[in-house]
Amino acid sequence: MFSVGDKVVCAHHGAGTIVAIEHKEVLGRPCEYFSICMFHDRMTMMIPVENAERSGMRKVIAADAVDEVLCILRAGPSEGLSTKWHERTKRMQEKLGTGEVCAVAEVVRDIHRRGDLGALPLGDKRLLEKASKILIGELMCACDLDEAGATALLDEALNGESRESR
């Protein structure tokens, strides 16, 4: 399913490239691990091959799926978003935990739209930063952009601009 050179997204950490499949012994048991170089911080992360899908690891979206993500970012906030910080945060973290690109885009959009109404609490700012990092990494891969280009694409979509208007 995954091989060296694949660009992948890890649900809680963002996008990276599989640089190796390593064999290690853990607690006396041989295990295979994907060694993944993450884009944002160049950290190398290891995920057991047998747990890859269960942990939310997946291939980066194809370029033709980017327009759907951009449409989500341009839309208004989700209906019924709680005004209570702890309920809202729990829901947003659950969405991030799925690792699904559309769910991550919804988190970025919803927190960004809340920021349009006034200053964001520190927890929301941190969640927005984490979700944006994950989404920017995926846009970098899917659109073959550098970090600045992917960040600009995200910002343009959040501000209602389309790719054609650039």
Side-chain angles (χ1 to χ4, degrees):
M1 179 171 167
F2 299 108
S3 57
V4 173
D6 285 350
K7 291 181 176 22
V8 296
V9 176
C10 300
H12 297 285
H13 302 283
T17 301
I18 297 175
V19 294
I21 299 174
E22 299 183 26
H23 303 273
K24 297 199 179 270
E25 190 171 308
V26 178
L27 298 173
R29 184 174 154 245
C31 293
E32 280 189 313
Y33 288 86
F34 291 116
S35 182
I36 304 165
C37 181
M38 307 308 289
F39 291 135
H40 276 283
D41 50 17
R42 296 292 177 225
M43 165 182 80
T44 299
M45 193 169 99
M46 298 187 81
I47 295 182
V49 169
E50 65 186 41
N51 294 338
E53 284 185 59
R54 192 175 26 210
S55 72
M57 189 170 115
R58 62 174 174 75
K59 288 191 177 183
V60 168
I61 59 170
D64 59 355
V66 171
D67 286 333
E68 180 181 358
V69 172
L70 298 178
C71 284
I72 289 169
L73 293 170
R74 285 191 288 268
S78 297
E79 293 293 319
L81 200 58
S82 177
T83 56
K84 295 180 181 175
W85 179 83
H86 66 281
E87 289 175 9
R88 188 175 63 249
T89 299
K90 181 180 178 194
R91 184 168 174 221
M92 299 285 187
Q93 287 175 333
E94 287 170 355
K95 281 185 174 188
L96 277 182
T98 69
E100 293 298 319
V101 68
C102 291
V104 175
E106 288 173 3
V107 170
V108 170
R109 177 201 62 208
D110 290 347
I111 297 174
H112 179 81
R113 297 285 180 259
R114 278 194 67 74
D116 290 345
L117 303 174
L120 289 172
L122 183 58
D124 282 354
K125 286 180 185 177
R126 287 184 180 148
L127 202 52
L128 178 59
E129 184 179 310
K130 179 179 180 179
S132 295
K133 180 180 99 170
I134 292 169
L135 194 54
I136 287 167
E138 186 142 16
L139 290 172
M140 287 170 61
C141 293
C143 300
D144 195 26
L145 296 170
D146 62 7
E147 188 172 353
T151 301
L153 183 61
L154 176 81
D155 290 343
E156 289 167 2
L158 287 169
N159 292 319
E161 300 171 27
S162 66
R163 291 204 289 180
E164 292 78 36
S165 65
R166 289 192 286 158

